[in-house]
């Protein structure tokens, strides 16, 4: 039985990936290493927690001893590294936590893989999952490609850029077999509701303000999380060592357009009068260093590995709204306690 380590597997993208891997590859033991911070939730994996090829291990990727013990215990054939602090707003208020987890944690994993695999890298792979935010901000035209110069603008994106460089350095210096992917904004079920889409859906349901930074003119490329997972699967099994692959949804939308679309969908699904939710839109002070536009060119992934999205943007949004409206208990559990305090502090709006 092969053994694959997935870090951050109780988080949003990680839980989708763990579920996919456990179900699709029954001959592979999936070990989920997660610290269970505010964004890690084992409720996300209830449907696979008793699967014979799934193991959960609680731990911090910065803990060298803990990570080394897991490599010794399971003899991993591969690592898919998703564990990261990922919210830009939090990185602005607490950058050191992002440096610790995203940079030091990545190096800890790289060192453990190198020590465990030594000079016999046959059948081994270290897959680092990153973000399009490392490339900085685009104007109205153009796209990020795998050769775009790095230009991070926030402590979050700078920490991810640093981890990307370190992964490449271990490939060139030590020959460690690695691949990297940089993805656009993910959406779908199980996303922690500090992020725009679940926050808006939840607030509409509860008649709360919909906080929009600035004028809502910032543009993001939206990628359905299950399509991202299928891309990770392809890259893990067929990607070329040492290469980077960009994963985008080809769905560029201004934030205000996206919010108004969600207002329309949620109003319709809840049987409310059209336009009711839009009255909740509340413009708040813009985020410091807010990148104007992200857009990804995924042609390398499409042409080399044959990847393509499985749903349109409209289909993905309908599925996502349905998921959150049908998982009220999950949302209630997630949005209690410290999250509410963070919400009030971040958006200056009473929860």
């Amino acid at each position: 039985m092969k053994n694959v380590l997935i870090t951050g597997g109780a988080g949003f993208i990680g839980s989708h990936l763990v579920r996919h891997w456990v179900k699709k590859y029954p001959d592979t033991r999936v070990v989920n290493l997660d610290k269970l911070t505010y964004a890690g939730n084992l409720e996300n994996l209830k449907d696979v927690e008793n699967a014979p090829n799934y193991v959960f291990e609680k731990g911090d990727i910065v803990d060298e001893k803990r990570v080394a013990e897991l490599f010794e215990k399971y003899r991993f054939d591969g690592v898919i590294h998703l564990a990261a602090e990922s919210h830009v707003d939090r990185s602005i208020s607490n950058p050191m936590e992002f440096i610790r987890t995203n940079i030091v944690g990545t190096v800890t994993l790289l060192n453990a893989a190198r020590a465990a695999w030594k000079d016999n890298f046959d059948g081994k792979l270290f897959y680092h999952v990153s973000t399009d935010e490392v490339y900085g901000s685009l104007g109205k035209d153009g796209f990020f490609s795998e050769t775009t110069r790095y230009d991070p603008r926030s402590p979050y994106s700078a920490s991810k850029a640093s981890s990307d460089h370190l992964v490449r350095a271990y490939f060139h210096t030590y020959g460690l077999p690695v691949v990297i992917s940089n993805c656009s904004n993910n959406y779908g079920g199980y996303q922690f509701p500090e992020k725009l889409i679940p926050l808006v859906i939840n607030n509409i349901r509860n008649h709360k303000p919909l906080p929009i930074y600035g004028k809502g003119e910032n543009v993001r490329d939206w990628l359905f999380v299950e399509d991202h997972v299928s891309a990770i699967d392809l890259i893990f099994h067929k990607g070329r060592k040492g290469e980077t692959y960009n994963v985008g949804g080809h769905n560029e939308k201004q934030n205000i357009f996206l919010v108004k679309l969600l207002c329309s969908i949620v109003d319709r699904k809840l049987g409310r009068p059209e336009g009711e939710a839009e009255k909740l839109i509340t413009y708040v002070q813009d985020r410091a260093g807010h990148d104007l536009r992200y857009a990804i060119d995924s042609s390398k992934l499409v042409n080399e590995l044959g990847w393509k999205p499985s749903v349109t943007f409209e289909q993905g949004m309908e599925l996502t709204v349905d998921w959150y409206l049908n998982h009220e208990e999950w949302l209630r559990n997630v949005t209690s306690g410290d999250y509410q305090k963070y919400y009030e502090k971040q958006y200056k709006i009473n929860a």
Side-chain angles (χ1 to χ4, degrees):
M1 177 175 276
K2 287 189 174 182
N3 292 281
V4 171
L5 171 65
I6 297 179
T7 68
F12 166 44
I13 300 172
S15 62
H16 282 275
L17 182 66
V18 166
R19 182 179 300 103
H20 171 88
W21 225 268
V22 167
K23 293 182 176 181
K24 185 174 180 180
Y25 301 110
D27 293 333
T28 297
R29 179 186 290 114
V30 176
V31 179
N32 171 15
L33 173 61
D34 199 295
K35 187 181 176 182
L36 297 183
T37 61
Y38 75 96
N41 187 350
L42 288 179
E43 287 187 352
N44 297 354
L45 293 164
K46 279 185 175 180
D47 56 331
V48 296
E49 63 186 3
N50 295 318
N53 63 325
Y54 171 70
V55 178
F56 171 71
E57 295 278 2
K58 187 175 187 297
D60 189 339
I61 59 171
V62 176
D63 186 339
E64 293 181 28
K65 182 180 178 182
R66 177 70 169 137
V67 171
E69 287 173 348
L70 292 176
F71 270 83
E72 176 66 25
K73 181 178 179 180
Y74 293 105
R75 308 284 181 176
F76 297 120
D77 300 287
V79 175
I80 307 178
H81 175 35
L82 293 100
E85 294 286 347
S86 65
H87 194 43
V88 173
D89 294 336
R90 289 178 184 266
S91 80
I92 293 171
S93 60
N94 185 14
M96 282 305 298
E97 190 63 29
F98 286 69
I99 303 306
R100 179 181 178 275
T101 298
N102 298 353
I103 301 177
V104 178
T106 298
V107 174
T108 301
L109 289 163
L110 288 165
N111 286 337
R114 181 174 167 240
W117 299 339
K118 295 184 171 57
D119 296 321
N120 182 13
F121 296 142
D122 291 345
K124 304 295 193 293
L125 182 67
F126 189 102
Y127 185 159
H128 179 60
V129 178
S130 191
T131 172
D132 59 356
E133 297 191 37
V134 299
Y135 298 123
S137 182
L138 288 167
K140 292 184 178 180
D141 302 313
F143 297 88
F144 296 137
S145 74
E146 289 81 1
T147 58
T148 299
R149 181 176 65 90
Y150 275 32
D151 187 23
R153 306 294 184 89
S154 70
Y156 162 61
S157 57
S159 68
K160 290 298 289 185
S162 179
S163 65
D164 290 7
H165 290 322
L166 286 159
V167 172
R168 291 192 184 97
Y170 273 63
F171 171 73
H172 291 293
T173 302
Y174 305 114
L176 192 73
V178 307
V179 289
I180 298 173
S181 62
N182 297 80
C183 69
S184 59
N185 283 38
N186 281 222
Y187 70 96
Y190 295 107
Q191 188 171 28
F192 193 79
E194 67 184 353
K195 303 290 182 149
L196 180 61
I197 290 175
L199 184 148
V200 167
I201 296 170
N202 194 39
N203 282 15
I204 293 172
R205 185 216 292 268
N206 294 295
H207 302 281
K208 292 182 177 181
L210 309 180
I212 309 298
Y213 283 127
K215 297 179 180 179
E217 296 174 340
N218 302 77
V219 175
R220 297 295 180 261
D221 174 19
W222 293 96
L223 172 66
F224 190 50
V225 65
E226 293 181 20
D227 288 331
H228 185 198
V229 165
S230 73
I232 292 173
D233 189 343
L234 268 176
I235 295 166
F236 183 88
H237 288 101
K238 297 182 179 180
R240 291 182 288 133
K241 305 296 189 297
E243 291 292 318
T244 297
Y245 295 88
N246 280 351
V247 190
H250 311 293
N251 298 307
E252 288 186 59
K253 308 294 178 186
Q254 280 193 327
N255 286 346
I256 190 61
F257 171 86
L258 177 64
V259 171
K260 289 183 177 180
L261 174 64
L262 289 170
C263 286
S264 175
I265 295 174
V266 177
D267 276 346
R268 167 167 51 83
K269 290 184 180 292
L270 293 180
R272 295 176 180 173
E274 184 177 350
E276 180 174 318
E278 282 198 27
K279 298 174 184 176
L280 299 170
I281 291 175
T282 304
Y283 295 97
V284 300
Q285 183 176 353
D286 204 359
R287 166 195 290 162
H290 200 177
D291 294 337
L292 175 63
R293 173 175 169 260
Y294 302 148
I296 273 196
D297 176 2
S298 298
S299 57
K300 179 178 178 179
L301 176 62
V302 172
N303 295 334
E304 279 194 19
L305 305 183
W307 175 83
K308 61 180 180 180
S310 65
V311 297
T312 65
F313 175 74
E314 293 74 19
Q315 290 170 332
M317 283 296 150
E318 292 279 343
L319 289 169
T320 300
V321 170
D322 284 341
W323 191 93
Y324 286 103
L325 293 182
N326 292 328
H327 288 79
E328 189 172 1
E329 183 181 359
W330 182 91
L331 272 168
R332 188 166 55 247
N333 290 343
V334 168
T335 54
S336 61
D338 289 343
Y339 173 72
Q340 292 292 349
K341 296 174 186 175
Y342 165 76
Y343 180 93
E344 294 170 19
K345 177 182 176 182
Q346 187 59 46
Y347 293 107
K348 310 297 189 294
I349 294 173
N350 291 331

